[in-house]
Amino acid sequence: MKKNARFAMGLGVLLGLLMITAAGCKDASNTTTAPVDGNAPASAVSADGAAQTLTISWNKDVGHLNPHMYVPNQFFAQAMVYEGLVNYGEGGKIEPSLAESWSVSEDGKQITFRLRQGVVFSDGSKFTAGNAKRNFDAVLANRKEHSWLELINQIDGVEAKDDYTLILKLKHQYYPALQELTLIRPLRFLGDAGFPDDKNTAKGIVKPIGTGPWVLKEYTKDQEAVFTRNERYWGVKPKLQKVVVKIIPDSESRVLAFKKGDIDMIYGNGLISLDEFAALKASGQYEARASKPTATRVLVMNTTGPITKDLKVRQALEQALDKKAISEHVFGGVEQPADSLIADNFPNSRTDLAPYIYDVNKASELLDQAGWVKTAGSSYRTKDGKELTLELKYISTDSIQKALADVVQGEFKKAGVNVKLTGLEEQSFWDDAFAGKFDLVFDETWGAPYDPHTYVSAMRSADHSSSSYAAQQGLPMKKELDEEIGRIMVSTYEQQRAAMYKSVFATLHDQAVYIPISYEANIAVFRNAAVQGFAFPSTQYELPLGQLEVRK
């Protein structure tokens, strides 16, 4: 899964860094602005006549809004327009959405969904089982692209029994099937008029037509996207009539725009520096909140790298990073130090593993044992005449990654490790990460509703996954690890699954594939008098639009 939630952080983070180191539619042109769904009704105004418009900012273009594809589509925008059969509720409860009910066969291989009647797409066309099947078929025709998602591998077929009965047939009983149907992509539903003539949505869509509460009304690539309320929405309509997303790549510019009143709310992970977040909160002029942990920020080590293939080197690096200082000085305490790959508030994540403790002396001992020695007059270790130099790649437009890269460089230098920093454009970064062309890269776990099962399952997939597949290729037990993950995904016994998850996490921990850095959190800053009804959503990648009101 290509991650879109890579955001900006700003100069304030770099100040904290010093403290540590010292201590969709078809592609549009760049200038085209056009109505995207001209059939949708015009939005209304609130009862008191005030326009209910929320203006926010994002650091990159929202993308083509193809419900079946990934980058450059942004999660939050896809979730505004498209819906799935079921939703991920508070605490992971599976709730009805386009399916009002479902039943599972005795052998677990067939799920029968009773679709909600009366649902129409934003263009007025009906949502039926036939349309749902066309969407499933379009995704399944492109199975390789989606093979990171085990549900896709497990689907044996889809049948539209009648207009409102959809049958999902599985090869095996698959315990996370309903949870994976809550994902924002790729199994959400596009109206028939949005399909290209050949029905191959992998190549693009005609226009974004969904059943969701929002319609993409105007779009200027890399500048602005305007969403209006879908007046045909079957559910409880938002109180807002319009959401304007301004594309502002720079975090400092975003803060200035917020202070000037050009945007109403800053929401997400890292769209501004946490120093700025703290300053805005301390000013008393704004409401500033942080969510519970949403995912884990990690540094991934390539087990096939010429240097990082050595387990002792990886174990040394685990102990050479001061995560407590990073939490305090870079994240202002909002992101807490991470001791494990998956936070223990997620199911099947409690492992009771002893975390790696920050200890530069112990790190140095391990590097000595690996043959990397430090000589007088040199800042960096050498072995057989070669300097201990590792390349750390990061997304150049992601200021969090840039700031953390500087931290890692400074911290590892204390242990005699030279870190070369390479910033890449996002697509190039992921191309290299998936291909294993790195020593070190930043990544994140996927948060709710993906963690841990979808994230772990995707470790086996070379196609459209995280950096994990490539990073683990040097593990001597990689085949056995993948086989155990496969058994987890089809296990019908909860206790057995828990034991196997524990075994997988123990292997990855002992083999030092990941350095967990911090547990991520979303932040929100807004004017309390203007923005009302705010609540953090139950998943990481959606905007909190449900009950929001804006009064200016």
Side-chain angles (χ1 to χ4, degrees):
M1 179 183 74
K2 294 182 180 178
K3 298 283 285 181
N4 283 350
R6 306 299 199 266
F7 306 111
M9 204 166 178
L11 182 61
V13 173
L14 298 180
L15 296 177
L17 158 64
L18 294 176
M19 296 174 66
I20 293 178
T21 54
C25 35
K26 297 290 188 183
D27 287 340
S29 72
N30 290 332
T31 57
T32 298
T33 304
V36 178
D37 189 350
N39 294 318
S43 61
V45 295
S46 60
D48 61 4
Q52 285 280 312
T53 299
L54 176 75
T55 302
I56 61 172
S57 162
W58 210 248
N59 64 342
K60 58 186 69 123
D61 187 70
V62 300
H64 317 129
L65 299 195
N66 184 335
H68 304 154
M69 296 301 290
Y70 308 96
V71 171
N73 302 290
Q74 297 297 295
F75 277 115
F76 79 90
Q78 290 168 299
M80 291 173 71
V81 174
Y82 303 106
E83 296 179 295
L85 294 171
V86 289
N87 282 335
Y88 186 92
E90 197 65 36
K93 181 181 178 182
I94 305 301
E95 299 175 341
S97 182
L98 293 179
E100 60 183 6
S101 64
W102 55 90
S103 61
V104 182
S105 64
E106 188 173 341
D107 65 2
K109 295 182 181 181
Q110 185 167 293
I111 307 175
T112 301
F113 295 93
R114 187 63 184 169
L115 304 186
R116 194 178 298 277
Q117 297 189 36
V119 175
V120 298
F121 287 94
S122 59
D123 66 349
S125 60
K126 290 183 178 181
F127 172 69
T128 65
N131 168 270
K133 176 174 166 49
R134 278 187 286 281
N135 277 268
F136 269 93
D137 289 346
V139 172
L140 295 175
N142 193 27
R143 280 183 189 262
K144 185 177 181 182
E145 178 75 12
H146 310 297
S147 62
W148 62 271
L149 183 61
E150 182 61 23
L151 176 59
I152 300 298
N153 302 322
Q154 291 295 332
I155 293 176
D156 199 32
V158 181
E159 176 188 347
K161 185 175 180 180
D162 56 46
D163 279 354
Y164 297 103
T165 305
L166 184 75
I167 301 174
L168 182 62
K169 300 175 182 180
L170 304 175
K171 299 173 184 175
H172 306 91
Q173 179 170 316
Y174 180 57
Y175 91 90
L178 288 170
Q179 187 163 334
E180 292 193 352
L181 286 171
T182 71
L183 304 185
I184 292 173
R185 58 201 190 196
L187 291 172
R188 293 205 176 184
F189 301 103
L190 175 70
D192 287 343
F195 278 81
D197 290 340
D198 64 1
K199 309 303 180 187
N200 184 3
T201 56
K203 295 180 180 179
I205 62 175
V206 176
K207 56 183 177 179
I209 302 171
T211 62
W214 300 97
V215 176
L216 180 61
K217 191 69 174 178
E218 297 177 12
Y219 170 67
T220 304
K221 184 175 171 60
D222 294 325
Q223 294 183 40
E224 186 175 274
V226 178
F227 297 84
T228 56
R229 189 172 70 182
N230 179 7
E231 300 300 335
R232 294 189 173 106
Y233 185 52
W234 60 270
V236 177
K237 294 182 178 64
K239 295 179 179 179
L240 298 169
Q241 277 84 41
K242 184 185 292 186
V243 176
V244 178
V245 182
K246 293 182 178 293
I247 309 305
I248 305 176
D250 177 64
S251 59
E252 291 182 53
S253 299
R254 183 172 297 108
V255 172
L256 290 174
F258 174 73
K259 289 180 176 179
K260 286 170 59 181
D262 293 340
I263 58 178
D264 301 310
M265 181 173 72
I266 298 170
Y267 179 82
N269 180 282
L271 282 172
I272 61 173
S273 81
L274 291 175
D275 280 348
E276 283 286 358
F277 173 74
L280 291 169
K281 184 175 183 178
S283 73
Q285 300 179 57
Y286 314 106
E287 185 78 13
R289 304 181 189 177
S291 73
K292 296 177 182 178
T294 57
T296 308
R297 195 182 303 279
V298 297
L299 182 63
V300 184
M301 296 184 276
N302 190 346
T303 60
T304 66
I307 296 174
T308 51
K309 66 182 179 182
D310 189 328
L311 177 58
K312 287 188 181 296
V313 171
R314 300 197 303 273
Q315 290 174 333
L317 297 179
E318 290 272 7
Q319 296 174 87
L321 193 62
D322 189 348
K323 292 181 277 189
K324 182 179 179 180
I326 291 174
S327 172
E328 292 175 354
H329 300 308
V330 173
F331 296 119
V334 172
E335 292 194 10
Q336 293 297 308
D339 289 331
S340 58
L341 182 60
I342 306 290
D344 63 11
N345 59 314
F346 286 89
N348 294 308
S349 61
R350 293 182 180 272
T351 59
D352 302 320
L353 295 168
Y356 290 95
I357 304 300
Y358 173 61
D359 188 335
V360 176
N361 291 331
K362 180 62 176 176
S364 297
E365 290 176 11
L366 286 167
L367 291 172
D368 285 339
Q369 294 171 20
W372 293 99
V373 297
K374 204 170 182 181
T375 57
S378 175
S379 298
Y380 303 112
R381 296 173 176 272
T382 58
K383 179 179 180 180
D384 300 329
K386 288 185 60 178
E387 186 177 82
L388 204 176
T389 299
L390 300 174
E391 184 179 22
L392 169 55
K393 294 184 177 181
Y394 65 93
I395 298 173
S396 59
T397 56
D398 188 325
S399 294
I400 282 185
Q401 290 195 7
K402 175 62 172 72
L404 287 176
D406 290 335
V407 171
V408 171
Q409 186 181 56
E411 290 289 286
F412 285 1
K413 183 177 180 180
K414 297 175 186 177
V417 180
N418 184 21
V419 176
K420 174 187 174 184
L421 305 182
T422 301
L424 298 171
E425 176 271 336
E426 185 172 12
Q427 189 60 58
S428 297
F429 172 87
W430 288 116
D431 288 344
D432 283 1
F434 296 162
K437 297 178 180 177
F438 65 88
D439 295 320
L440 308 168
V441 290
F442 291 116
D443 207 340
E444 302 160 0
T445 66
W446 298 349
Y450 297 90
D451 288 345
H453 69 279
T454 309
Y455 180 71
V456 170
S457 177
M459 291 176 178
R460 301 170 296 157
S461 172
D463 300 309
H464 203 73
S465 183
S466 66
S467 57
S468 293
Y469 177 82
Q472 295 176 14
Q473 289 306 299
L475 297 180
M477 71 295 293
K478 174 61 175 169
K479 180 181 177 184
E480 292 78 10
L481 185 68
D482 287 354
E483 289 172 349
E484 186 163 27
I485 292 172
R487 289 192 293 273
I488 290 174
M489 296 304 132
V490 297
S491 171
T492 59
Y493 300 103
E494 188 172 344
Q495 288 185 336
Q496 180 188 56
R497 287 199 302 270
M500 288 190 290
Y501 269 117
K502 189 171 184 177
S503 172
V504 166
F505 288 132
T507 298
L508 296 175
H509 177 80
D510 293 343
Q511 291 296 314
V513 182
Y514 307 89
I515 302 178
I517 298 173
S518 62
Y519 295 123
E520 295 183 3
N522 282 328
I523 63 169
V525 185
F526 52 89
R527 293 168 183 81
N528 202 29
V531 177
Q532 301 173 11
F534 175 88
F536 284 105
S538 55
T539 63
Q540 183 176 5
Y541 303 113
E542 297 182 59
L543 292 179
L545 301 176
Q547 298 300 312
L548 278 190
E549 293 186 79
V550 175
R551 304 287 179 178
K552 297 183 182 179

